[in-house]
Amino acid sequence: MRAFDGCGARTRFVQDEGIPYLVNEFWTARQRGGHALHEISYRACFKAELPEFFISRLTAPGEAVCDPFMGRGTTLVQAALQGRRPVGNDINPLSVMLTRPRLAPPPLKDIERRLAEVPWREGEIEREDLLVFYHPETLRQLCALRRRLLARPRLDPADDWIRMVALNRLTGHSPGFFSVYSLPPNQAVSVEAQRKINEKRRQTPPPRDAPALILRKSRKLLSEGAPPPHPPAQLGVGDAWRLGFVADASIKLVVTSPPFLDVVQYASDNWLRC
Ligand SMILES: C[S@@+](CC[C@H](N)C(=O)[O-])C[C@H]1O[C@@H](n2cnc3c(N)ncnc32)[C@H](O)[C@@H]1O
């Protein structure tokens, strides 16, 4: 094994019962600085430096890197950024929505053009209870976008991208999100809990400009460019132990983090995005 000094203190290699271990402090706050495309929130995601560490050392460009519990797709996006084939799966279809658009992002001008085509003012509020999060005008915009996306027979890359960004701007603590002050969209609170937050903070949802926020976040995500050409991705939705779409012996490396089932409630955390 070769020495690796990229993490501050020199890495030591030790052998224990024939297994080599790398000993150092990895992925500390100082070292965190992944590509801008990773900046999508997801509960219990890992930092991009973790898959980057193993992809760089254990695979060559063109080889397949897999995460059977892909979450927001950190392993897959990193694999694409390094010219590898991204292969991923998650039991929640939300994961494909969050990952696929970033593997081959559309140009910003296509996103801008598509946003201009959405009839933002024609939305009709479909769920009054969501007014605890959103100003009526903002909720109308979100309903207009949702209706338009549902009506498209097939989402093209610009639609797919806009849906991903919108899912990530649904709730949060700053004016960069569509909602009044709330928890981020990967830990969305219930309607009842949001009512209590509003009472405690004496707040009512202010109007937000949804298309402007989507464009702003898109600019940030794309600020360091797109992945280089890489073999086409394979994405699945289902149980991790049934990756029928992946050919035997086709994967060079797996970088994954199984669910923390007794700690994180993925379904309720993501209820609003789902
Ligand atoms: C710790 S998260 C993975 C986060 C990922 N490493 C990232 O950086 O975003 C675990 C994931 O496992 C998914 N999951 C839970 N049960 C699953 C199952 N039976 N098969 C596939 N995925 C499952 C959850 O939806 C969640 O996205």
Side-chain angles (χ1 to χ4, degrees), residues 3-11 24 57:
F4 173 63
D5 294 320
C7 297
R10 190 177 170 81
T11 302
N24 198 344
R57 284 157 188 80

Side-chain angles (χ1 to χ4, degrees), residues 19-242:
I19 300 170
Y21 291 88
L22 281 71
V23 181
N24 198 344
E25 191 179 319
F26 298 108
W27 312 298
T28 59
R30 194 178 57 80
Q31 294 154 1
R32 288 173 184 180
H35 192 281
L37 260 185
H38 286 293
E39 290 307 313
I40 287 289
S41 49
Y42 197 80
R43 198 79 194 276
C45 62
F46 46 51
K47 291 284 164 186
E49 288 76 3
L50 188 143
E52 191 276 334
F53 182 91
F54 294 107
I55 291 169
S56 303
R57 284 157 188 80
L58 301 173
T59 67
E63 289 181 333
V65 179
C66 176
D67 187 347
F69 300 98
M70 68 182 177
R72 68 170 182 168
T74 317
T75 294
L76 281 83
V77 171
Q78 190 58 38
L81 287 166
Q82 295 186 245
R84 274 65 167 175
R85 179 195 291 280
V87 181
N89 172 82
D90 200 284
I91 203 159
N92 190 341
L94 179 67
S95 286
V96 171
M97 297 183 191
L98 297 180
T99 305
R100 185 176 53 207
R102 290 177 293 140
L103 301 175
L108 196 60
K109 64 173 176 14
D110 289 7
I111 300 167
E112 255 178 305
R113 197 178 309 131
R114 183 56 44 80
L115 283 171
E117 290 167 12
V118 178
W120 296 102
R121 289 168 195 278
E122 291 168 26
E124 285 171 28
I125 294 177
E126 292 164 28
R127 279 188 52 170
E128 299 272 337
D129 57 342
L130 296 183
L131 290 168
V132 294
F133 294 102
Y134 307 110
H135 185 279
E137 285 310 312
T138 313
L139 187 52
R140 258 189 276 281
Q141 288 185 324
L142 300 185
C143 291
L145 177 61
R146 180 170 179 274
R147 185 163 285 201
R148 179 168 169 104
L149 290 173
L150 288 174
R152 306 272 290 175
R154 220 188 115 262
L155 297 193
D156 70 8
D159 296 319
D160 215 21
W161 177 274
I162 288 168
R163 179 174 65 181
M164 173 198 69
V165 177
L167 286 171
N168 259 284
R169 298 288 96 190
L170 283 182
T171 52
H173 49 267
S174 77
F177 292 90
F178 303 145
S179 71
V180 68
Y181 178 97
S182 183
L183 263 62
N186 55 340
Q187 296 172 59
V189 296
S190 66
V191 166
E192 203 36 58
Q194 185 61 36
R195 208 165 271 133
K196 288 189 185 133
I197 294 175
N198 292 353
E199 275 165 24
K200 194 166 168 207
R201 296 176 62 92
R202 296 184 186 176
Q203 60 180 18
T204 49
R208 309 275 199 220
D209 185 344
L213 294 181
I214 293 171
L215 192 58
R216 198 170 88 183
K217 179 67 180 172
S218 301
R219 282 208 177 93
K220 277 194 191 154
L221 285 166
L222 294 170
S223 62
E224 292 178 55
H230 55 83
Q234 290 179 281
L235 301 177
V237 178
D239 276 331
W241 56 85
R242 287 199 205 104

